[in-house]
Structure formats: structure tokens, C-alpha cells
Amino acid sequence: MPEYPTALGAASKDTITLLGHDLANDVMGEVSFGELAFWLATQRRPTPGETRVFEAVLAALADHGYTPTAIISRLTHLSAPDSVQGALAAGLLAGGSRFLGVTEDCGRFLHDVLAAQEQLPTDDAGWDALALETVRAQREAKRFVPGLGHHVHKDGDPRTPRLMAIAAEEGVTGPHLALFAAIGRVHPEVLGKTLPLNGAGVCGAALADLGLPLELLRAFALLARTAGLIGQLAEELRHPVANDIFLSVDLNNRPVDPDPYVPESF
Amino acid sequence: MPEYPTALGAASKDTITLLGHDLANDVMGEVSFGELAFWLATQRRPTPGETRVFEAVLAALADHGYTPTAIISRLTHLSAPDSVQGALAAGLLAGGSRFLGVTEDCGRFLHDVLAAQEQLPTDDAGWDALALETVRAQREAKRFVPGLGHHVHKDGDPRTPRLMAIAAEEGVTGPHLALFAAIGRVHPEVLGKTLPLNGAGVCGAALADLGLPLELLRAFALLARTAGLIGQLAEELRHPVANDIFLSVDLNNRPVDPDPYVPESF
Amino acid sequence: MPEYPTALGAASKDTITLLGHDLANDVMGEVSFGELAFWLATQRRPTPGETRVFEAVLAALADHGYTPTAIISRLTHLSAPDSVQGALAAGLLAGGSRFLGVTEDCGRFLHDVLAAQEQLPTDDAGWDALALETVRAQREAKRFVPGLGHHVHKDGDPRTPRLMAIAAEEGVTGPHLALFAAIGRVHPEVLGKTLPLNGAGVCGAALADLGLPLELLRAFALLARTAGLIGQLAEELRHPVANDIFLSVDLNNRPVDPDPYVPESF
Amino acid sequence: MPEYPTALGAASKDTITLLGHDLANDVMGEVSFGELAFWLATQRRPTPGETRVFEAVLAALADHGYTPTAIISRLTHLSAPDSVQGALAAGLLAGGSRFLGVTEDCGRFLHDVLAAQEQLPTDDAGWDALALETVRAQREAKRFVPGLGHHVHKDGDPRTPRLMAIAAEEGVTGPHLALFAAIGRVHPEVLGKTLPLNGAGVCGAALADLGLPLELLRAFALLARTAGLIGQLAEELRHPVANDIFLSVDLNNRPVDPDPYVPESF
């Protein structure tokens, strides 16, 4: 008979533990939700400074207004109001490579650059040199630098300097943020124009510096977004827009003739 | 052209706001994630005491070990490792009426009892009288009292007194918790046996006392569970069990003859 | 060690069976997909006539243009193009009580009326009498008759007579369709106006007459819709509209002040 | 105001069309469900032979017993029995790269090889030469050949010759199946052992030969699986196993100490 080990929740008749601690007495009322989420993901308790940076990231990613995730959750609720879990799940399914992926892509990208170095830089000049080399290599490979550029905040994304400042205040700036900041300084020299370091990217850098698993960077964006989607559903319940969205599409449909699909011929 | 009002996230070229506040300067680094989730759901900022109770509820519901939600997320990750959002969404879809529903059911049940009173009790004797009447009515209708009973913690669920104590410390005990506590005191008189007030139930009572929308009580359980599922996936990545679970079922399948479905005849 | 019986798929080194039949030789190339879906759901092989009616229902429900399910699948694909399963799953999650629920509601409603009769009518006059009683009871209870009325096809839903004709041709008209047809004939006498019997409703009546499990009537609508959503995604890949839909909402957002939620007071 | 063109479903007061055809009169009762699914995906009506091959593929992929998709749907239903759409959606979310991905991977792989040829072979000897070159290149790159090998059907997957025979009977064998068959003939020469061409792989080759969009090959596997999952849920309703599966994991949990995650250091 197989056994299934776990360090997470466990219960016996009289006690409940979570991560080896008494849930009722040592976790409830003692550990904030952000701290607990970090702890669950890493099985180590974060410091107050780490928790503050982590919660700042979650705040940065929680809600961006009428994103596809928000529209989808509202439409799902319109159509299946009996299933709150379905409305949240459908919204999260839009948290894929394109809209929430930058956080993960940026964290992984910075990590890969760092992992390829024999020794990390020790001063700003060193970081600038590494950043220059990095941006040049991407440009030569005709690839974008993840986290660089924003379609709205063209002169700077206000979340970026703020998160960097919070990380610095808490003493948790690490090599991912250092490299990301350097990319912000040097990229105009290569690209010939100044692009903003975007908020999703700096969040990925910060999460990586916090030592969180790279495979789950997107998962933290999804956790933040779950809180945002609850906000969207709460607003939809009182000030509904989903039916208007649905009708704005349905009533503006235009029937066209079928366009038979022709596969590539050889 | 329809317009879509929202008080949640908004962005212009130089600013980002959330709930009317400057996201970078007034929310990031200033507002904990639990506080923000409460704020997003109600569009009002909770007090520190409300936040502490809310985060205690989230801690109580975050992870209960190998629940169906946890097993499902791990199996989905086994099968589709490229889609973290799919693994989280699939797990949340099991957060329905049976396993995560008690929180919502209990909050709604207490609310309905309270809403039917012309005047609420003002002392313990009054609450006990209302609780007695309530339990009797359920018994006569052959219905369970939501939140009463637990298949493991038969002598008491440790989360219940703890959450009541935290709510009392923070001065946010309201009529839902008062009635729930009274049900705990008086039900043996009606049912002839002593059952525990369970943790999922007390969480529903506390969320209702915090003034959160009843339609979304299940959503807060799902938010808590999202953090728990990230913990499950993080553990699965390093100490996988999903393939063993899959094989324990698949290798113990027993082929049987088809059993043709016969609908009810009239 | 528990065992898990199943009459569905099974495999050994040299054979694969499905429902007790050799998959390769007796199912592949011999059984149409609609027939197989029916067989899987009931563990009995349908007759050709039953299959034709079943497939006519699936055709009726496969795609209705820009429904919430279609919009959601397209938006999910826009946002997470790497996960086809996520785009389909998100669309199906909108297949709940409101948009796809009529099929199930109507089938169950007719069933409940039939199950309450000691003896079923044997001629049109008898069905009309039962239908009259049924519509009157709903009206007195201030409840709608499921399947009656349509916001677009006010003079008649073309799917309804067609499905009834196909069922009659195949000799599989049963009591659900008989009662539904009678409701169509007699309701003006009670309601004072003529409403169409809608397509979703007649599909529910037909599925119930085919002897399919009532708990899964919605599931067949979802199967039909899966084919429709693949069509939507295929069209989105070549003639994309999801980004326009997203922008039509996002660019027309109107920031408003927060509206603090005030729970019902007692 | 944007317009949203579509060739799929459209409705006016008196008519409903699908793909430009009268739904009630020209589709319902006239077009099988498999044929309709093909038509929706390509906007061209398949021939009877194409439909037969397509439906044989769907039959081959509909259900494989207690796969993760099946276990997940059953567990989701156990936990949230009120939401059939959630149980189906959760099961489909496990239809990702690993368990249902071979169909897509194999179709794409064969396509890429074919697209790189200036001219396609015209006889078996030519196909064998191309296959040999292809298997060698994969081996040198230390990559598997998609569709080659099966952990159970080591001496041959019975679906493979059967699907090839059906395609040949219907005259729709194309270059993907030709190359796949040649790989089956020549790979022992390179790999030093004989592996079976598996059923998921041959399905991918056949779908590609049918001219279906490569981006959606996985979607057809998911359509087939939707029918299978309805079968699983139907069986679960009458012969439930999900609670036993859940308990077999939960009761065999083994609490272990937390294992703090240590990120890679630089």
C-alpha cells in the first residue's frame, strides 16, 4: 500500500497541524495570509521583510481592471451564477503565457543569465556590464528582453521604482533585481530608445530574489489575481456589466460566409 | 457605446490606482494581502482587528492535507505540467457544495435565522433561547444544522474556540458568532448528544460577522485554498506523489460487464 | 487494497476494450461518435433511430454564435494561447444554470410531472388535460414553465417542430415530448398569450425520452458545445476578434468611486 | 463600434443558421455529430470517408479507463456534485502535454519533417529513406520520436493497424500516415529494438492527413475525451468509486517534517 508523505496539513482527533505547527494556536491569528502563502510554498517561514516585499508583489498584481481574466470571470458568473468556483477557475485559466506570463518569464530569464555566470558582479559597473551584454545578446537573437516595455506606462511604470525601494528598505534586494535595474539603465545604449521596466517584470525579479521556486512564479500572480477576481465578482453582483459586455458582442455579430480551411500543402 | 464602470484597478500613462488609491505609493508595501483581499471584496478598508480575524479564517481554510482539491491539483499537474493555471483551476473546481460548502452554508443559515427575528437577543440567555428554537426547528424539519459535527474532531474542533477568542480579542464578535456559540451550548438538549462546532462553520459565522457578502463566502474559502494548492504543487514538484496516486487507481481497476442504464419507468 | 470496477476502457498487453467490446475491431470505424457518446453514458448501444435523434439534439446545441461560452473561450485563448484545454474548459464553465440550463431544467420538470401521475394519458386529449393542469399549477406558484418562451424566436423556434418530427420519424417519441407538445398547444388558454416552445427545452424533452440520465442532461449540452467551441477557436485562429472584444471593454472602462458594501443590518 | 464576423451560428427571428446552412432543416437529422465537429473546425463539410476516419480517431481517444482525467472528473463530482460543468472542465484540464499530448506532438512532428522536404517520396522505398533519416536525426539530437513506444502494448498497439486500414479503405491516407508507417518499418535499424507505433500517435497522423488545423489536434482529443468523461460520470453516479479513491490517499498520508526550499545559489 503506498503512503503519501506531506508536510502540509495534517489532523488527528484533537489536533490540526500545518507545516508542523499547531494550526489553531500558532498559525491562526499569528500569521498573516501573505506570510502563510509564502510559508506554504517554500516550507520555510519568511522574515517580516520578505513578507512585506512578497505582499507588495501580490498587491501589484491583484487587479488591473478589465483584463481578460476579469471579463471572463464576470461572464462566467452571468452564465452560471450558481458556481462561484467556476467563475474564479475560468478567470484563472486566462492567466497564461500572455497576460500574466511576464512575471514568470522575467524571473526565469534573469535567473538563466545569472546561472550562466561564473561569478556575479559586485558593483553597479559590473552589473551594467552584464546587463549590456545581456541586452545585446537578446537583440542579436532578435528576442525581446522580458519585463522591458509597457504599452501604457511609456515613461515609466510606477510600480517598478516602488517595489525596488521596498526591497531595498527591507534588505532583500538580490541579484535578480540588481540585474533588472541595470538593464533599465543600459538598454537605451543598445536599443536606441528608452523603455520602461514594467511592473510584471519587476515582480518576477523580486519573487526570484525572495528565493521562491521559479516553476511557480506564475502561481503567485494567480494567487494575487484570485483576490482581484473576488473583487470583480463582488462588484459584478452589485453593479453588473457582464450582460452589457455579452450583448455588445452578440448584437454586433456579422454573419459571413464560411472560409474553408486549407492546410499547408507540401 | 456602453461604458463599464469600475472602482477597482485603473491606469493612465503615469498613474495606477486601485480602489481609488495610488497603487504604488499607498497600497504596495502598506497594505497586507489579506487586508487587500477584504478591501477588494467590500470596497471598504477593514480595521486591523477585522483583518486579523479575516486572515485567521484564511489560515484555518488554507490546507487540509490530501483533500480532493489537493489530489486533483497534483494529478492535473502530473498530466499537464506546462499549465500551472490549469492545475490551480482544476483544484478550485472541487471547492463546491460538499467539501468547501459548509463555510457558506453555515454563514447563510445563521444569517437567515437572524434576519427572521424582529429583535436580536441581548444576553446569553436570549441567545440560548433562540439557538434552542433554531436547533429544534431543524430537527423537526429533519435537516442538519450546518457547522455542527465533524467526522474526525469528535470532541471538539480546535479551530472553533480559537477563532471565537480572536474575534472577541478584536471586538468583532457579532450576532452570527453569538448564535453559533449558543448552538454549541444548547444543541445537546435537543439532539441528545454533544457534537463539535466545526472549523468550516465557525469560519462562515466569522466571515458573516465581518460584513462580507454572503454570496461570496465560498469565494474566500477558495482564496485560502489557492494558497494551499500552491503549497501542494510546490511539494509535488520536489516530493511527487501524483503518479503513485494515479497508478494505485489504474493498476487496481477491475473490468466489469456493462450495466445498461434503465431510466425510471412511468 | 480497494479495487475500482469499471465497464469503460480497459487494456491488456494485446487488447483494448471499451464497454466490453474490442476497441480496434468492433468500435473504431464501426460506431459513430454520437452513437459512442450515447453508449458510454448509458452502457447500452442505442438503435440507429435513437442515435439520429441524439445527434440531432447535439447539432441543435453545438453553437449559438457569440454566447458567453464562445466569448470566454476566445478570450482565454487570447490570454493563454499555449493551453487549448484551458480555453475549452473555461468556455464550458459558463455552461451553467442560465445559458445551457434550460435543457436540463425542462427535462427534469417534465419528468417530475410524469412521475407524479398514477397513469399516463393515452391520447392527445389526455395529454392536453395534463398539460393544462401543469401550466396552471406553475402559474399559480408564480413559476415559469421551463422551455416555454424565447427572446428572439417569438413566433416559433424552428428547432422544435423539426426535432419532434425527427423523433416521430424514428418512432422514439415518448411521454416527455408528448407532454411538452401538449404544453405548446394549451398554454395560451392559461397564460393569455402564445409563447414558442424553445429549442433548448425540446432538446431536454427528447434526451429524457431517449432514456438518458437526468443528472447528465446538461452534460450532453456541454458535449455539443465542446464541438462548437472548437469551431470558435478554429475561427479565432484565422479571423481573430478576441483582442477587439477585450479592448472594447477595457478602453470603455469608467473609473468610479468605491461603493462600500453595507451588509443587511438586523 | 466594432463588428464581430462569424460563419458559425447565427439567428434571426424566424431562422437559425449554422455554417451558412439552415440548422433545423439541413443540419439536424442530416449531419452526424462527428461530421458536424469536423465541419465546425474547418468550415468545410467532410466526405463520408473523412468522417469515418475522424470518428474512428475519436473512438480511439474517448476513454482509456482510470486515467488522470477520469479520476479528476470523478473526484470533482464527489466534491462539487452540483456542477457537472466543473467536473467535465476539471477533467479536461488534465488533457495537457503529457497524457493527451502525443496526438498533437506526433501530428506536428510529422508535419515539420514533411514541410522541410522539397519533394515528397512517391513510393515505399522513398518513405523508408525519409523515415530512416528522420529517426537518425532524432536519435542524434537525443530526442524521442513522438508516437513510437507504449508502456503496455509492447508488441503492438491494436489501434494503429486498424486506423491505417480504415484510412486506406476510405482513400484518405496522406503523407503523415505514410511517414508514420515508414517510421514503424525502419526504426529498429537505428534504435536496435522494435517499438510499437502507438494509438495516440497514429491518431495525430490521421488527423493531420485529414487536413485539420495542427494547432487544434489536442482539441479533438479533448472532444473525444468529453464523451469519455460523461461516461465516467455516468458510471460514478451509479457505481461510485471517488470516495474510495479519496480515502485511499487521505488515510495513507504520512506527516513529515517540512523540507525548506533552497533556491539554486549563484
Side-chain angles (χ1 to χ4, degrees), chain C residues 11 17 25 56-57 71 84 95-96 111 148 154 164 173 177 192 215 217 219-220 226 237 239-241 249 256:
Chain C
T17 61
N25 293 306
V57 168
I71 300 171
V84 169
H111 177 88
L148 197 56
K154 294 187 193 299
M164 288 180 170
T173 302
L177 280 168
E215 299 91 335
L217 294 194
F220 300 110
T226 304
L237 282 166
H239 304 290
V241 302
V249 180
V256 296

Side-chain angles (χ1 to χ4, degrees), chain B residues 1 66-68 71-72 75-76 78-82 86 90 93-94 96-99 238-239 246 249-250 253 259-261, chain D residues 1 66-68 71-72 75-76 78-82 86 90 93-94 96-99 238-239 246 249-250 253 259-261:
Chain B
M1 198 77 169
Y66 287 112
T67 57
I71 299 170
I72 288 167
L75 284 171
T76 307
L78 172 72
S79 198
D82 42 305
L93 288 172
S97 55
R98 204 169 292 171
F99 272 74
R238 296 195 289 142
H239 305 289
F246 160 52
V249 180
D250 192 37
N253 87 80
D259 172 20
Y261 176 72
Chain D
M1 199 75 169
Y66 287 112
T67 56
I71 300 170
I72 288 167
L75 285 171
T76 306
L78 171 72
S79 198
D82 42 305
L93 288 172
S97 56
R98 204 168 291 171
F99 273 74
R238 296 194 290 143
H239 304 290
F246 160 51
V249 180
D250 192 36
N253 87 81
D259 172 21
Y261 176 72

